[in-house]
Structures are given as structure tokens and as C-alpha cells.
PDB file of all heavy atoms in Angstrom:
ATOM      1  N   ALA A  20    -110.447  37.879 -83.483  1.00 98.00           N
ATOM      2  CA  ALA A  20    -109.445  38.675 -84.199  1.00 98.00           C
ATOM      3  C   ALA A  20    -108.645  37.811 -85.187  1.00 98.00           C
ATOM      4  O   ALA A  20    -108.381  38.226 -86.319  1.00 98.00           O
ATOM      5  CB  ALA A  20    -108.505  39.362 -83.234  1.00 98.00           C
ATOM      6  N   VAL A  21    -108.267  36.604 -84.765  1.00 98.00           N
ATOM      7  CA  VAL A  21    -107.497  35.728 -85.648  1.00 98.00           C
ATOM      8  C   VAL A  21    -108.340  35.249 -86.830  1.00 98.00           C
ATOM      9  O   VAL A  21    -107.845  35.083 -87.935  1.00 98.00           O
ATOM     10  CB  VAL A  21    -106.901  34.562 -84.846  1.00 98.00           C
ATOM     11  CG1 VAL A  21    -106.157  33.584 -85.779  1.00 98.00           C
ATOM     12  CG2 VAL A  21    -105.929  35.071 -83.776  1.00 98.00           C
ATOM     13  N   GLN A  22    -109.630  35.050 -86.578  1.00 98.00           N
ATOM     14  CA  GLN A  22    -110.525  34.704 -87.714  1.00 98.00           C
ATOM     15  C   GLN A  22    -110.549  35.845 -88.747  1.00 98.00           C
ATOM     16  O   GLN A  22    -110.635  35.580 -89.971  1.00 98.00           O
ATOM     17  CB  GLN A  22    -111.911  34.392 -87.226  1.00 98.00           C
ATOM     18  CG  GLN A  22    -112.048  33.056 -86.509  1.00 98.00           C
ATOM     19  CD  GLN A  22    -113.482  32.806 -86.062  1.00 98.00           C
ATOM     20  OE1 GLN A  22    -114.302  32.326 -86.838  1.00 98.00           O
ATOM     21  NE2 GLN A  22    -113.766  33.112 -84.805  1.00 98.00           N
ATOM     22  N   GLN A  23    -110.469  37.085 -88.273  1.00 97.00           N
ATOM     23  CA  GLN A  23    -110.469  38.195 -89.214  1.00 97.00           C
ATOM     24  C   GLN A  23    -109.208  38.261 -90.059  1.00 97.00           C
ATOM     25  O   GLN A  23    -109.176  38.960 -91.073  1.00 97.00           O
ATOM     26  CB  GLN A  23    -110.665  39.505 -88.436  1.00 97.00           C
ATOM     27  CG  GLN A  23    -112.065  39.632 -87.846  1.00 97.00           C
ATOM     28  CD  GLN A  23    -112.316  41.011 -87.265  1.00 97.00           C
ATOM     29  OE1 GLN A  23    -111.596  41.976 -87.534  1.00 97.00           O
ATOM     30  NE2 GLN A  23    -113.361  41.118 -86.451  1.00 97.00           N
ATOM     31  N   LEU A  24    -108.183  37.511 -89.634  1.00 97.00           N
ATOM     32  CA  LEU A  24    -106.952  37.399 -90.439  1.00 97.00           C
ATOM     33  C   LEU A  24    -107.075  36.290 -91.497  1.00 97.00           C
ATOM     34  O   LEU A  24    -106.128  36.037 -92.240  1.00 97.00           O
ATOM     35  CB  LEU A  24    -105.749  37.128 -89.555  1.00 97.00           C
ATOM     36  CG  LEU A  24    -105.288  38.285 -88.658  1.00 97.00           C
ATOM     37  CD1 LEU A  24    -104.192  37.836 -87.728  1.00 97.00           C
ATOM     38  CD2 LEU A  24    -104.839  39.458 -89.485  1.00 97.00           C
ATOM     39  N   GLY A  25    -108.228  35.619 -91.540  1.00 97.00           N
ATOM     40  CA  GLY A  25    -108.453  34.607 -92.547  1.00 97.00           C
ATOM     41  C   GLY A  25    -108.277  33.174 -92.073  1.00 97.00           C
ATOM     42  O   GLY A  25    -108.403  32.218 -92.881  1.00 97.00           O
ATOM     43  N   GLU A  26    -107.978  32.991 -90.799  1.00 98.00           N
ATOM     44  CA  GLU A  26    -107.806  31.621 -90.291  1.00 98.00           C
ATOM     45  C   GLU A  26    -109.171  31.015 -89.929  1.00 98.00           C
ATOM     46  O   GLU A  26    -110.035  31.700 -89.373  1.00 98.00           O
ATOM     47  CB  GLU A  26    -106.908  31.612 -89.036  1.00 98.00           C
ATOM     48  CG  GLU A  26    -105.446  31.946 -89.342  1.00 98.00           C
ATOM     49  CD  GLU A  26    -104.819  30.934 -90.284  1.00 98.00           C
ATOM     50  OE1 GLU A  26    -105.058  29.734 -90.109  1.00 98.00           O
ATOM     51  OE2 GLU A  26    -104.096  31.369 -91.208  1.00 98.00           O
ATOM     52  N   PRO A  27    -109.370  29.747 -90.213  1.00 98.00           N
ATOM     53  CA  PRO A  27    -110.670  29.118 -89.927  1.00 98.00           C
ATOM     54  C   PRO A  27    -110.833  28.858 -88.429  1.00 98.00           C
ATOM     55  O   PRO A  27    -109.863  28.717 -87.701  1.00 98.00           O
ATOM     56  CB  PRO A  27    -110.597  27.779 -90.693  1.00 98.00           C
ATOM     57  CG  PRO A  27    -109.133  27.462 -90.739  1.00 98.00           C
ATOM     58  CD  PRO A  27    -108.428  28.799 -90.884  1.00 98.00           C
ATOM     59  N   TYR A  28    -112.093  28.836 -87.991  1.00 98.00           N
ATOM     60  CA  TYR A  28    -112.385  28.425 -86.632  1.00 98.00           C
ATOM     61  C   TYR A  28    -112.247  26.891 -86.571  1.00 98.00           C
ATOM     62  O   TYR A  28    -112.817  26.160 -87.394  1.00 98.00           O
ATOM     63  CB  TYR A  28    -113.793  28.820 -86.201  1.00 98.00           C
ATOM     64  CG  TYR A  28    -114.154  28.341 -84.821  1.00 98.00           C
ATOM     65  CD1 TYR A  28    -113.678  29.004 -83.720  1.00 98.00           C
ATOM     66  CD2 TYR A  28    -114.943  27.218 -84.631  1.00 98.00           C
ATOM     67  CE1 TYR A  28    -113.972  28.573 -82.431  1.00 98.00           C
ATOM     68  CE2 TYR A  28    -115.259  26.760 -83.358  1.00 98.00           C
ATOM     69  CZ  TYR A  28    -114.762  27.439 -82.247  1.00 98.00           C
ATOM     70  OH  TYR A  28    -115.038  27.004 -80.998  1.00 98.00           O
ATOM     71  N   ASN A  29    -111.494  26.408 -85.576  1.00 98.00           N
ATOM     72  CA  ASN A  29    -111.258  24.968 -85.421  1.00 98.00           C
ATOM     73  C   ASN A  29    -111.916  24.515 -84.120  1.00 98.00           C
ATOM     74  O   ASN A  29    -111.517  24.953 -83.046  1.00 98.00           O
ATOM     75  CB  ASN A  29    -109.760  24.682 -85.416  1.00 98.00           C
ATOM     76  CG  ASN A  29    -109.457  23.195 -85.552  1.00 98.00           C
ATOM     77  OD1 ASN A  29    -110.257  22.347 -85.203  1.00 98.00           O
ATOM     78  ND2 ASN A  29    -108.285  22.889 -86.067  1.00 98.00           N
ATOM     79  N   HIS A  30    -112.872  23.604 -84.199  1.00 98.00           N
ATOM     80  CA  HIS A  30    -113.576  23.161 -83.016  1.00 98.00           C
ATOM     81  C   HIS A  30    -112.851  22.016 -82.316  1.00 98.00           C
ATOM     82  O   HIS A  30    -113.212  21.625 -81.212  1.00 98.00           O
ATOM     83  CB  HIS A  30    -114.992  22.701 -83.377  1.00 98.00           C
ATOM     84  CG  HIS A  30    -115.066  21.320 -83.946  1.00 98.00           C
ATOM     85  ND1 HIS A  30    -114.633  21.011 -85.226  1.00 98.00           N
ATOM     86  CD2 HIS A  30    -115.506  20.152 -83.411  1.00 98.00           C
ATOM     87  CE1 HIS A  30    -114.794  19.739 -85.434  1.00 98.00           C
ATOM     88  NE2 HIS A  30    -115.343  19.174 -84.352  1.00 98.00           N
ATOM     89  N   ASP A  31    -111.803  21.460 -82.974  1.00 98.00           N
ATOM     90  CA  ASP A  31    -111.066  20.341 -82.368  1.00 98.00           C
ATOM     91  C   ASP A  31    -109.674  20.289 -82.962  1.00 98.00           C
ATOM     92  O   ASP A  31    -109.453  19.825 -84.077  1.00 98.00           O
ATOM     93  CB  ASP A  31    -111.813  19.022 -82.642  1.00 98.00           C
ATOM     94  CG  ASP A  31    -111.084  17.815 -82.087  1.00 98.00           C
ATOM     95  OD1 ASP A  31    -110.176  17.984 -81.256  1.00 98.00           O
ATOM     96  OD2 ASP A  31    -111.419  16.682 -82.523  1.00 98.00           O
ATOM     97  N   PHE A  32    -108.674  20.729 -82.182  1.00 98.00           N
ATOM     98  CA  PHE A  32    -107.283  20.716 -82.659  1.00 98.00           C
ATOM     99  C   PHE A  32    -106.724  19.296 -82.754  1.00 98.00           C
ATOM    100  O   PHE A  32    -105.658  19.105 -83.320  1.00 98.00           O
ATOM    101  CB  PHE A  32    -106.395  21.549 -81.748  1.00 98.00           C
ATOM    102  CG  PHE A  32    -106.661  23.033 -81.791  1.00 98.00           C
ATOM    103  CD1 PHE A  32    -107.023  23.735 -80.655  1.00 98.00           C
ATOM    104  CD2 PHE A  32    -106.556  23.720 -83.003  1.00 98.00           C
ATOM    105  CE1 PHE A  32    -107.261  25.106 -80.701  1.00 98.00           C
ATOM    106  CE2 PHE A  32    -106.785  25.097 -83.058  1.00 98.00           C
ATOM    107  CZ  PHE A  32    -107.139  25.788 -81.916  1.00 98.00           C
ATOM    108  N   ASN A  33    -107.417  18.308 -82.185  1.00 98.00           N
ATOM    109  CA  ASN A  33    -107.005  16.911 -82.280  1.00 98.00           C
ATOM    110  C   ASN A  33    -107.864  16.154 -83.292  1.00 98.00           C
ATOM    111  O   ASN A  33    -107.920  14.928 -83.245  1.00 98.00           O
ATOM    112  CB  ASN A  33    -107.096  16.252 -80.919  1.00 98.00           C
ATOM    113  CG  ASN A  33    -106.111  16.842 -79.922  1.00 98.00           C
ATOM    114  OD1 ASN A  33    -104.901  16.800 -80.122  1.00 98.00           O
ATOM    115  ND2 ASN A  33    -106.633  17.384 -78.835  1.00 98.00           N
ATOM    116  N   GLY A  34    -108.525  16.854 -84.178  1.00 95.00           N
ATOM    117  CA  GLY A  34    -109.443  16.217 -85.118  1.00 95.00           C
ATOM    118  C   GLY A  34    -108.899  16.170 -86.533  1.00 95.00           C
ATOM    119  O   GLY A  34    -107.739  15.818 -86.747  1.00 95.00           O
ATOM    120  N   ASP A  35    -109.749  16.494 -87.495  1.00 92.00           N
ATOM    121  CA  ASP A  35    -109.397  16.368 -88.916  1.00 92.00           C
ATOM    122  C   ASP A  35    -108.216  17.224 -89.323  1.00 92.00           C
ATOM    123  O   ASP A  35    -107.445  16.838 -90.180  1.00 92.00           O
ATOM    124  CB  ASP A  35    -110.612  16.729 -89.790  1.00 92.00           C
ATOM    125  CG  ASP A  35    -111.682  15.667 -89.755  1.00 92.00           C
ATOM    126  OD1 ASP A  35    -111.351  14.511 -89.499  1.00 92.00           O
ATOM    127  OD2 ASP A  35    -112.866  16.010 -89.980  1.00 92.00           O
ATOM    128  N   SER A  36    -108.118  18.410 -88.751  1.00 96.00           N
ATOM    129  CA  SER A  36    -107.036  19.325 -89.118  1.00 96.00           C
ATOM    130  C   SER A  36    -106.603  20.137 -87.913  1.00 96.00           C
ATOM    131  O   SER A  36    -107.426  20.500 -87.076  1.00 96.00           O
ATOM    132  CB  SER A  36    -107.508  20.275 -90.245  1.00 96.00           C
ATOM    133  OG  SER A  36    -106.529  21.263 -90.484  1.00 96.00           O
ATOM    134  N   GLN A  37    -105.311  20.389 -87.822  1.00 98.00           N
ATOM    135  CA  GLN A  37    -104.802  21.161 -86.709  1.00 98.00           C
ATOM    136  C   GLN A  37    -104.917  22.675 -86.968  1.00 98.00           C
ATOM    137  O   GLN A  37    -104.980  23.458 -85.995  1.00 98.00           O
ATOM    138  CB  GLN A  37    -103.325  20.789 -86.479  1.00 98.00           C
ATOM    139  CG  GLN A  37    -102.750  21.189 -85.135  1.00 98.00           C
ATOM    140  CD  GLN A  37    -101.308  20.794 -84.989  1.00 98.00           C
ATOM    141  OE1 GLN A  37    -100.448  21.130 -85.806  1.00 98.00           O
ATOM    142  NE2 GLN A  37    -101.013  20.030 -83.925  1.00 98.00           N
ATOM    143  N   ARG A  38    -104.984  23.069 -88.197  1.00 98.00           N
ATOM    144  CA  ARG A  38    -104.929  24.509 -88.543  1.00 98.00           C
ATOM    145  C   ARG A  38    -106.167  25.256 -88.058  1.00 98.00           C
ATOM    146  O   ARG A  38    -107.284  24.755 -88.059  1.00 98.00           O
ATOM    147  CB  ARG A  38    -104.823  24.664 -90.052  1.00 98.00           C
ATOM    148  CG  ARG A  38    -104.745  26.129 -90.478  1.00 98.00           C
ATOM    149  CD  ARG A  38    -104.867  26.326 -91.964  1.00 98.00           C
ATOM    150  NE  ARG A  38    -105.033  27.754 -92.263  1.00 98.00           N
ATOM    151  CZ  ARG A  38    -105.326  28.232 -93.464  1.00 98.00           C
ATOM    152  NH1 ARG A  38    -105.493  27.422 -94.488  1.00 98.00           N
ATOM    153  NH2 ARG A  38    -105.476  29.535 -93.626  1.00 98.00           N
ATOM    154  N   GLY A  39    -105.936  26.482 -87.643  1.00 98.00           N
ATOM    155  CA  GLY A  39    -107.039  27.396 -87.310  1.00 98.00           C
ATOM    156  C   GLY A  39    -106.929  27.926 -85.905  1.00 98.00           C
ATOM    157  O   GLY A  39    -105.911  27.794 -85.233  1.00 98.00           O
ATOM    158  N   VAL A  40    -107.999  28.580 -85.455  1.00 98.00           N
ATOM    159  CA  VAL A  40    -108.058  29.192 -84.136  1.00 98.00           C
ATOM    160  C   VAL A  40    -109.290  28.692 -83.431  1.00 98.00           C
ATOM    161  O   VAL A  40    -110.329  28.403 -84.045  1.00 98.00           O
ATOM    162  CB  VAL A  40    -108.090  30.732 -84.267  1.00 98.00           C
ATOM    163  CG1 VAL A  40    -109.331  31.214 -85.011  1.00 98.00           C
ATOM    164  CG2 VAL A  40    -107.976  31.396 -82.892  1.00 98.00           C
ATOM    165  N   GLY A  41    -109.196  28.548 -82.122  1.00 98.00           N
ATOM    166  CA  GLY A  41    -110.322  28.035 -81.352  1.00 98.00           C
ATOM    167  C   GLY A  41    -109.967  27.885 -79.898  1.00 98.00           C
ATOM    168  O   GLY A  41    -109.060  28.524 -79.402  1.00 98.00           O
ATOM    169  N   PHE A  42    -110.701  27.011 -79.229  1.00 98.00           N
ATOM    170  CA  PHE A  42    -110.525  26.794 -77.797  1.00 98.00           C
ATOM    171  C   PHE A  42    -109.975  25.390 -77.544  1.00 98.00           C
ATOM    172  O   PHE A  42    -110.436  24.416 -78.146  1.00 98.00           O
ATOM    173  CB  PHE A  42    -111.839  26.975 -77.053  1.00 98.00           C
ATOM    174  CG  PHE A  42    -112.431  28.365 -77.242  1.00 98.00           C
ATOM    175  CD1 PHE A  42    -113.457  28.572 -78.172  1.00 98.00           C
ATOM    176  CD2 PHE A  42    -111.940  29.426 -76.524  1.00 98.00           C
ATOM    177  CE1 PHE A  42    -113.980  29.833 -78.360  1.00 98.00           C
ATOM    178  CE2 PHE A  42    -112.485  30.715 -76.710  1.00 98.00           C
ATOM    179  CZ  PHE A  42    -113.481  30.916 -77.637  1.00 98.00           C
ATOM    180  N   TYR A  43    -108.968  25.319 -76.699  1.00 98.00           N
ATOM    181  CA  TYR A  43    -108.357  24.036 -76.381  1.00 98.00           C
ATOM    182  C   TYR A  43    -109.289  23.186 -75.525  1.00 98.00           C
ATOM    183  O   TYR A  43    -110.226  23.696 -74.881  1.00 98.00           O
ATOM    184  CB  TYR A  43    -107.057  24.245 -75.610  1.00 98.00           C
ATOM    185  CG  TYR A  43    -105.936  24.839 -76.409  1.00 98.00           C
ATOM    186  CD1 TYR A  43    -105.459  26.134 -76.131  1.00 98.00           C
ATOM    187  CD2 TYR A  43    -105.336  24.150 -77.465  1.00 98.00           C
ATOM    188  CE1 TYR A  43    -104.409  26.671 -76.859  1.00 98.00           C
ATOM    189  CE2 TYR A  43    -104.302  24.690 -78.190  1.00 98.00           C
ATOM    190  CZ  TYR A  43    -103.831  25.951 -77.895  1.00 98.00           C
ATOM    191  OH  TYR A  43    -102.811  26.496 -78.628  1.00 98.00           O
ATOM    192  N   GLN A  44    -109.018  21.898 -75.499  1.00 97.00           N
ATOM    193  CA  GLN A  44    -109.573  21.034 -74.477  1.00 97.00           C
ATOM    194  C   GLN A  44    -108.491  20.770 -73.423  1.00 97.00           C
ATOM    195  O   GLN A  44    -107.306  20.957 -73.680  1.00 97.00           O
ATOM    196  CB  GLN A  44    -110.073  19.712 -75.078  1.00 97.00           C
ATOM    197  CG  GLN A  44    -111.359  19.877 -75.878  1.00 97.00           C
ATOM    198  CD  GLN A  44    -112.119  18.566 -76.025  1.00 97.00           C
ATOM    199  OE1 GLN A  44    -111.600  17.590 -76.550  1.00 97.00           O
ATOM    200  NE2 GLN A  44    -113.373  18.518 -75.546  1.00 97.00           N
ATOM    201  N   PHE A  45    -108.954  20.344 -72.245  1.00 96.00           N
ATOM    202  CA  PHE A  45    -108.056  20.261 -71.098  1.00 96.00           C
ATOM    203  C   PHE A  45    -108.242  18.952 -70.360  1.00 96.00           C
ATOM    204  O   PHE A  45    -109.323  18.342 -70.390  1.00 96.00           O
ATOM    205  CB  PHE A  45    -108.290  21.421 -70.140  1.00 96.00           C
ATOM    206  CG  PHE A  45    -108.026  22.766 -70.773  1.00 96.00           C
ATOM    207  CD1 PHE A  45    -108.982  23.411 -71.510  1.00 96.00           C
ATOM    208  CD2 PHE A  45    -106.775  23.349 -70.671  1.00 96.00           C
ATOM    209  CE1 PHE A  45    -108.753  24.619 -72.126  1.00 96.00           C
ATOM    210  CE2 PHE A  45    -106.509  24.565 -71.268  1.00 96.00           C
ATOM    211  CZ  PHE A  45    -107.497  25.202 -72.018  1.00 96.00           C
ATOM    212  N   MET A  46    -107.173  18.539 -69.665  1.00 96.00           N
ATOM    213  CA  MET A  46    -107.209  17.340 -68.861  1.00 96.00           C
ATOM    214  C   MET A  46    -107.710  17.690 -67.464  1.00 96.00           C
ATOM    215  O   MET A  46    -106.952  17.748 -66.500  1.00 96.00           O
ATOM    216  CB  MET A  46    -105.821  16.691 -68.839  1.00 96.00           C
ATOM    217  CG  MET A  46    -105.440  16.101 -70.193  1.00 96.00           C
ATOM    218  SD  MET A  46    -103.746  15.482 -70.305  1.00 96.00           S
ATOM    219  CE  MET A  46    -102.869  17.053 -70.531  1.00 96.00           C
ATOM    220  N   ASN A  47    -109.003  17.960 -67.372  1.00 94.00           N
ATOM    221  CA  ASN A  47    -109.658  18.215 -66.096  1.00 94.00           C
ATOM    222  C   ASN A  47    -111.168  18.020 -66.243  1.00 94.00           C
ATOM    223  O   ASN A  47    -111.648  17.778 -67.333  1.00 94.00           O
ATOM    224  CB  ASN A  47    -109.335  19.636 -65.564  1.00 94.00           C
ATOM    225  CG  ASN A  47    -109.778  20.749 -66.520  1.00 94.00           C
ATOM    226  OD1 ASN A  47    -110.839  20.695 -67.098  1.00 94.00           O
ATOM    227  ND2 ASN A  47    -108.932  21.759 -66.678  1.00 94.00           N
ATOM    228  N   ARG A  48    -111.851  18.105 -65.156  1.00 93.00           N
ATOM    229  CA  ARG A  48    -113.294  17.946 -65.177  1.00 93.00           C
ATOM    230  C   ARG A  48    -113.880  18.596 -63.922  1.00 93.00           C
ATOM    231  O   ARG A  48    -113.415  18.356 -62.821  1.00 93.00           O
ATOM    232  CB  ARG A  48    -113.679  16.461 -65.225  1.00 93.00           C
ATOM    233  CG  ARG A  48    -115.168  16.104 -65.302  1.00 93.00           C
ATOM    234  CD  ARG A  48    -115.770  16.432 -66.667  1.00 93.00           C
ATOM    235  NE  ARG A  48    -115.046  15.883 -67.797  1.00 93.00           N
ATOM    236  CZ  ARG A  48    -115.166  14.630 -68.254  1.00 93.00           C
ATOM    237  NH1 ARG A  48    -115.978  13.772 -67.637  1.00 93.00           N
ATOM    238  NH2 ARG A  48    -114.484  14.246 -69.309  1.00 93.00           N
ATOM    239  N   ALA A  49    -114.876  19.454 -64.122  1.00 88.00           N
ATOM    240  CA  ALA A  49    -115.559  20.130 -63.039  1.00 88.00           C
ATOM    241  C   ALA A  49    -114.590  20.857 -62.106  1.00 88.00           C
ATOM    242  O   ALA A  49    -114.726  20.822 -60.880  1.00 88.00           O
ATOM    243  CB  ALA A  49    -116.391  19.115 -62.244  1.00 88.00           C
ATOM    244  N   GLY A  50    -113.561  21.471 -62.672  1.00 84.00           N
ATOM    245  CA  GLY A  50    -112.640  22.279 -61.882  1.00 84.00           C
ATOM    246  C   GLY A  50    -111.571  21.490 -61.172  1.00 84.00           C
ATOM    247  O   GLY A  50    -110.875  22.041 -60.324  1.00 84.00           O
ATOM    248  N   ARG A  51    -111.398  20.195 -61.510  1.00 90.00           N
ATOM    249  CA  ARG A  51    -110.353  19.402 -60.883  1.00 90.00           C
ATOM    250  C   ARG A  51    -109.473  18.781 -61.940  1.00 90.00           C
ATOM    251  O   ARG A  51    -109.940  18.221 -62.908  1.00 90.00           O
ATOM    252  CB  ARG A  51    -110.963  18.312 -59.998  1.00 90.00           C
ATOM    253  CG  ARG A  51    -109.889  17.497 -59.275  1.00 90.00           C
ATOM    254  CD  ARG A  51    -110.460  16.532 -58.264  1.00 90.00           C
ATOM    255  NE  ARG A  51    -109.416  15.776 -57.619  1.00 90.00           N
ATOM    256  CZ  ARG A  51    -109.610  14.878 -56.666  1.00 90.00           C
ATOM    257  NH1 ARG A  51    -110.826  14.635 -56.233  1.00 90.00           N
ATOM    258  NH2 ARG A  51    -108.593  14.210 -56.141  1.00 90.00           N
ATOM    259  N   ARG A  52    -108.172  18.878 -61.702  1.00 93.00           N
ATOM    260  CA  ARG A  52    -107.160  18.343 -62.616  1.00 93.00           C
ATOM    261  C   ARG A  52    -107.332  16.824 -62.756  1.00 93.00           C
ATOM    262  O   ARG A  52    -107.573  16.090 -61.803  1.00 93.00           O
ATOM    263  CB  ARG A  52    -105.789  18.665 -62.082  1.00 93.00           C
ATOM    264  CG  ARG A  52    -104.607  18.190 -62.936  1.00 93.00           C
ATOM    265  CD  ARG A  52    -103.300  18.423 -62.237  1.00 93.00           C
ATOM    266  NE  ARG A  52    -103.017  19.847 -62.122  1.00 93.00           N
ATOM    267  CZ  ARG A  52    -102.355  20.562 -63.026  1.00 93.00           C
ATOM    268  NH1 ARG A  52    -101.924  19.962 -64.123  1.00 93.00           N
ATOM    269  NH2 ARG A  52    -102.129  21.844 -62.829  1.00 93.00           N
ATOM    270  N   SER A  53    -107.112  16.344 -63.984  1.00 96.00           N
ATOM    271  CA  SER A  53    -107.051  14.903 -64.233  1.00 96.00           C
ATOM    272  C   SER A  53    -105.634  14.582 -64.683  1.00 96.00           C
ATOM    273  O   SER A  53    -105.334  14.476 -65.863  1.00 96.00           O
ATOM    274  CB  SER A  53    -108.069  14.475 -65.306  1.00 96.00           C
ATOM    275  OG  SER A  53    -108.042  13.092 -65.519  1.00 96.00           O
ATOM    276  N   SER A  54    -104.751  14.434 -63.714  1.00 97.00           N
ATOM    277  CA  SER A  54    -103.352  14.111 -63.994  1.00 97.00           C
ATOM    278  C   SER A  54    -103.187  12.611 -64.182  1.00 97.00           C
ATOM    279  O   SER A  54    -104.112  11.830 -63.908  1.00 97.00           O
ATOM    280  CB  SER A  54    -102.457  14.572 -62.832  1.00 97.00           C
ATOM    281  OG  SER A  54    -102.774  13.814 -61.646  1.00 97.00           O
ATOM    282  N   SER A  55    -102.012  12.175 -64.608  1.00 98.00           N
ATOM    283  CA  SER A  55    -101.789  10.742 -64.728  1.00 98.00           C
ATOM    284  C   SER A  55    -101.793  10.067 -63.348  1.00 98.00           C
ATOM    285  O   SER A  55    -102.149   8.900 -63.226  1.00 98.00           O
ATOM    286  CB  SER A  55    -100.449  10.466 -65.433  1.00 98.00           C
ATOM    287  OG  SER A  55     -99.374  10.980 -64.696  1.00 98.00           O
ATOM    288  N   ALA A  56    -101.468  10.841 -62.299  1.00 98.00           N
ATOM    289  CA  ALA A  56    -101.508  10.283 -60.947  1.00 98.00           C
ATOM    290  C   ALA A  56    -102.956  10.014 -60.540  1.00 98.00           C
ATOM    291  O   ALA A  56    -103.271   8.937 -60.012  1.00 98.00           O
ATOM    292  CB  ALA A  56    -100.853  11.247 -59.960  1.00 98.00           C
ATOM    293  N   TYR A  57    -103.850  10.977 -60.773  1.00 97.00           N
ATOM    294  CA  TYR A  57    -105.249  10.780 -60.439  1.00 97.00           C
ATOM    295  C   TYR A  57    -105.904   9.736 -61.345  1.00 97.00           C
ATOM    296  O   TYR A  57    -106.659   8.873 -60.903  1.00 97.00           O
ATOM    297  CB  TYR A  57    -106.023  12.090 -60.525  1.00 97.00           C
ATOM    298  CG  TYR A  57    -105.897  12.958 -59.300  1.00 97.00           C
ATOM    299  CD1 TYR A  57    -105.453  14.263 -59.399  1.00 97.00           C
ATOM    300  CD2 TYR A  57    -106.218  12.475 -58.030  1.00 97.00           C
ATOM    301  CE1 TYR A  57    -105.309  15.065 -58.260  1.00 97.00           C
ATOM    302  CE2 TYR A  57    -106.109  13.274 -56.915  1.00 97.00           C
ATOM    303  CZ  TYR A  57    -105.652  14.568 -57.033  1.00 97.00           C
ATOM    304  OH  TYR A  57    -105.514  15.368 -55.920  1.00 97.00           O
ATOM    305  N   ALA A  58    -105.628   9.831 -62.655  1.00 98.00           N
ATOM    306  CA  ALA A  58    -106.330   8.979 -63.614  1.00 98.00           C
ATOM    307  C   ALA A  58    -105.900   7.532 -63.522  1.00 98.00           C
ATOM    308  O   ALA A  58    -106.746   6.622 -63.688  1.00 98.00           O
ATOM    309  CB  ALA A  58    -106.124   9.529 -65.028  1.00 98.00           C
ATOM    310  N   PHE A  59    -104.608   7.273 -63.279  1.00 98.00           N
ATOM    311  CA  PHE A  59    -104.101   5.912 -63.403  1.00 98.00           C
ATOM    312  C   PHE A  59    -103.637   5.304 -62.080  1.00 98.00           C
ATOM    313  O   PHE A  59    -103.752   4.091 -61.893  1.00 98.00           O
ATOM    314  CB  PHE A  59    -102.971   5.895 -64.425  1.00 98.00           C
ATOM    315  CG  PHE A  59    -103.400   6.261 -65.806  1.00 98.00           C
ATOM    316  CD1 PHE A  59    -103.302   7.577 -66.247  1.00 98.00           C
ATOM    317  CD2 PHE A  59    -103.929   5.315 -66.657  1.00 98.00           C
ATOM    318  CE1 PHE A  59    -103.733   7.929 -67.518  1.00 98.00           C
ATOM    319  CE2 PHE A  59    -104.368   5.663 -67.913  1.00 98.00           C
ATOM    320  CZ  PHE A  59    -104.267   6.969 -68.372  1.00 98.00           C
ATOM    321  N   ILE A  60    -103.093   6.129 -61.180  1.00 98.00           N
ATOM    322  CA  ILE A  60    -102.539   5.546 -59.935  1.00 98.00           C
ATOM    323  C   ILE A  60    -103.597   5.514 -58.815  1.00 98.00           C
ATOM    324  O   ILE A  60    -103.700   4.520 -58.099  1.00 98.00           O
ATOM    325  CB  ILE A  60    -101.309   6.349 -59.462  1.00 98.00           C
ATOM    326  CG1 ILE A  60    -100.216   6.260 -60.537  1.00 98.00           C
ATOM    327  CG2 ILE A  60    -100.803   5.843 -58.138  1.00 98.00           C
ATOM    328  CD1 ILE A  60     -99.731   4.858 -60.841  1.00 98.00           C
ATOM    329  N   SER A  61    -104.390   6.565 -58.672  1.00 98.00           N
ATOM    330  CA  SER A  61    -105.370   6.594 -57.610  1.00 98.00           C
ATOM    331  C   SER A  61    -106.323   5.400 -57.602  1.00 98.00           C
ATOM    332  O   SER A  61    -106.637   4.855 -56.530  1.00 98.00           O
ATOM    333  CB  SER A  61    -106.177   7.907 -57.647  1.00 98.00           C
ATOM    334  OG  SER A  61    -105.383   9.000 -57.312  1.00 98.00           O
ATOM    335  N   PRO A  62    -106.797   4.920 -58.767  1.00 97.00           N
ATOM    336  CA  PRO A  62    -107.703   3.747 -58.714  1.00 97.00           C
ATOM    337  C   PRO A  62    -107.024   2.477 -58.183  1.00 97.00           C
ATOM    338  O   PRO A  62    -107.720   1.519 -57.837  1.00 97.00           O
ATOM    339  CB  PRO A  62    -108.090   3.567 -60.205  1.00 97.00           C
ATOM    340  CG  PRO A  62    -107.925   4.921 -60.812  1.00 97.00           C
ATOM    341  CD  PRO A  62    -106.733   5.516 -60.114  1.00 97.00           C
TER     342      PRO A  62
END
């Protein structure tokens, strides 16, 4: 629907341009959260 308003599809909001509509990426993997506690303290 947002593309029909003229906004471009954005495959990476952290890439070349922030503008547009698309799907976010998330700090998780295979259904498990990757928090700073898991990523940096657990090891």
C-alpha cells in the first residue's frame, strides 16, 4: 500500500538510503533474541 503512494521499496534501511518502505532487520537469529547480554556477556 505504501508503495502505491509513490514510496520506493527499501531492502536495507541501514544502507544507501533510509527513505522508503520495506522490512526491518532484527537482533535475533532462529527465533532467539541476540541482546547485548547474550552477544557480549555470555561468552
Side-chain angles (χ1 to χ4, degrees):
V21 176
Q22 287 182 83
Q23 291 188 16
L24 291 174
E26 291 299 317
Y28 177 78
N29 192 334
H30 80 288
D31 178 17
F32 291 122
N33 294 300
D35 287 334
S36 173
Q37 196 180 56
R38 181 189 169 189
V40 62
F42 301 100
Y43 291 113
Q44 287 201 301
F45 298 86
M46 291 173 281
N47 60 41
R48 181 72 52 81
R51 182 172 180 178
R52 180 187 293 269
S53 182
S54 65
S55 62
Y57 278 124
F59 297 94
I60 298 301
S61 291

